[in-house]
Amino acid sequence: MQYAVVTGASRGLGEAIARQYILKNVNVVAVSRSGNEELKALADEKGVDFHHVNCDLSDMDDLNRGLNQIVGLVFHKDTHYVYLVNNAGVIDPIETVGQLEADAVQKHMQVNVTAPILIVNRFVKEANERDLPLGIINITSGAAEKTIHGWSTYSSSKAAINRFTQTLALEQEGKGHTILAYSPGVIDTDMQGEIRSSSEDAFADVEKFRKLKEEGELRSPDEVASVLMTLLEKQDKIENGQVYKLYDLVGK
Ligand SMILES: NC(=O)c1ccc[n+]([C@@H]2O[C@H](COP(=O)([O-])OP(=O)(O)OC[C@H]3O[C@@H](n4cnc5c(N)ncnc54)[C@H](OP(=O)(O)O)[C@@H]3O)[C@@H](O)[C@H]2O)c1
């Protein structure tokens, strides 16, 4: 049995990735605060196991509770492969330094950095005890490598995820896991809506992002998820620890 644990599968890119796994007959555990009835219906139609773990990744107690639930669902004697897609993410706070609020920064780092690190930490422990291979995909962003006015928190959290992915790959060499980060480019999701609603004071490039939407430059979540799936099919060609960028995989 194969499982894919996808965080942030209620909408956006995570929903599209979860859908692709279901279509490939991989059992899915979707982790988020809200559910997704369409994924559940698709899984029922395909005869694939689908569980929604209701978990607020910004809350440490809820993360620990949710993690125990996920491990109970996924790591059992019939499991031979587990994918983990750390996709849940937030962009807020979009704000210049000096105007940041402590609570927003703390929540951001908890969702974008602490939660994925702790989920991977537990999965690696559980998998290595059972000699079970993992496919770990951390969703990152081009912002990790760019300096963007108003995005200090987001760029820092994604840069941290890239370095974490590289360190993890180094430590797990020879254990049979596939480990990568995926940078998906700009996608037509709620997150882009949040970006476009920023003020110019908080985010100097906001107009550029409004134009991307107007000019139809945003990719659909399904297209972006398909590119990831095609990459994962060439598992023997994947270099562990790499940040794979959609733009390099499909061209601009
Ligand atoms: N959109 C883009 O252009 C773009 C570009 C580069 C990288 N990315 C990255 O791609 C990933 C997906 O982004 P998206 O655009 O699909 O975002 P989105 O549409 O805003 O969806 C975010 C997902 O994360 C979940 N989430 C947020 N806070 C959570 C929390 N506290 N606990 C549990 N789940 C939480 C949400 O679920 P609930 O609200 O139901 O909890 C939702 O499913 C993110 O890591 C993002 O940084 C996006």
Side-chain angles (χ1 to χ4, degrees):
M1 263 182 149
Q2 293 190 68
Y3 282 91
V5 176
V6 184
T7 69
S10 56
R11 55 193 155 94
L13 179 59
E15 176 188 22
I17 293 171
R19 187 183 304 117
Q20 303 259 347
Y21 277 119
I22 293 170
L23 292 172
K24 287 177 184 299
N25 293 312
V26 176
N27 302 307
V28 166
V29 176
V31 185
S32 55
R33 294 164 300 180
S34 36
N36 184 313
E37 286 308 315
E38 281 167 31
L39 289 178
K40 171 85 183 96
L42 181 65
D44 286 349
E45 190 187 309
K46 295 281 294 173
V48 168
D49 260 10
F50 178 86
H51 298 273
H52 173 233
V53 171
N54 195 317
C55 181
D56 182 353
L57 298 171
S58 75
D59 181 286
M60 193 58 92
D61 290 338
D62 210 32
L63 170 61
N64 285 328
R65 183 205 50 78
L67 201 40
N68 285 334
Q69 194 185 338
I70 298 163
V71 166
L73 286 167
V74 162
F75 291 94
H76 56 74
K77 64 174 177 38
D78 299 326
T79 307
H80 67 269
Y81 199 92
V82 179
Y83 294 97
L84 166 63
V85 186
N86 276 310
N87 162 83
V90 290
I91 183 101
D92 179 63
I94 296 179
E95 197 42 277
T96 52
V97 179
Q99 302 300 320
L100 295 168
E101 284 180 12
D103 190 47
V105 173
Q106 195 178 30
K107 280 212 158 85
H108 180 106
M109 288 301 172
Q110 167 80 21
V111 174
N112 285 20
V113 183
T114 309
I117 288 178
L118 293 179
I119 298 170
V120 171
N121 180 58
R122 180 74 184 273
F123 271 47
V124 164
K125 184 173 183 293
E126 300 287 342
N128 288 352
E129 279 171 8
R130 296 165 169 83
D131 261 340
L132 193 70
L134 294 172
I136 298 175
I137 299 105
N138 293 323
I139 304 299
T140 184
S141 163
E145 295 167 27
K146 277 191 214 128
T147 304
I148 303 168
H149 174 273
W151 286 22
S152 60
T153 315
Y154 186 66
S155 290
S156 306
S157 69
K158 293 302 188 183
I161 275 303
N162 287 2
R163 182 58 67 197
F164 174 70
T165 307
Q166 284 148 358
T167 311
L168 175 70
L170 173 76
E171 291 174 359
Q172 294 300 314
E173 212 180 309
K175 299 259 169 64
H177 305 311
T178 297
I179 297 163
L180 61 96
Y182 179 55
S183 181
V186 279
I187 325 164
D188 201 359
T189 64
D190 292 352
M191 186 176 280
Q192 282 292 327
E194 272 184 66
I195 293 168
R196 288 192 299 275
S197 68
S198 308
S199 73
E200 226 165 283
D201 283 347
F203 176 35
D205 289 337
V206 64
E207 209 38 56
K208 197 174 105 187
F209 278 75
R210 289 176 186 150
K211 276 225 171 75
L212 286 177
K213 172 73 173 171
E214 277 164 28
E215 292 169 5
E217 293 292 322
L218 303 178
R219 281 192 161 82
S220 75
D222 282 329
E223 184 186 352
V224 172
S226 294
V227 174
L228 173 63
M229 291 299 152
T230 305
L231 171 67
L232 293 173
E233 276 161 19
K234 302 176 200 138
Q235 221 166 28
D236 51 331
K237 299 224 164 58
I238 290 173
E239 200 183 315
N240 275 354
Q242 274 285 332
V243 177
Y244 285 91
K245 300 181 174 105
L246 174 130
Y247 295 133
D248 292 340
L249 296 167
V250 300
K252 287 241 173 196

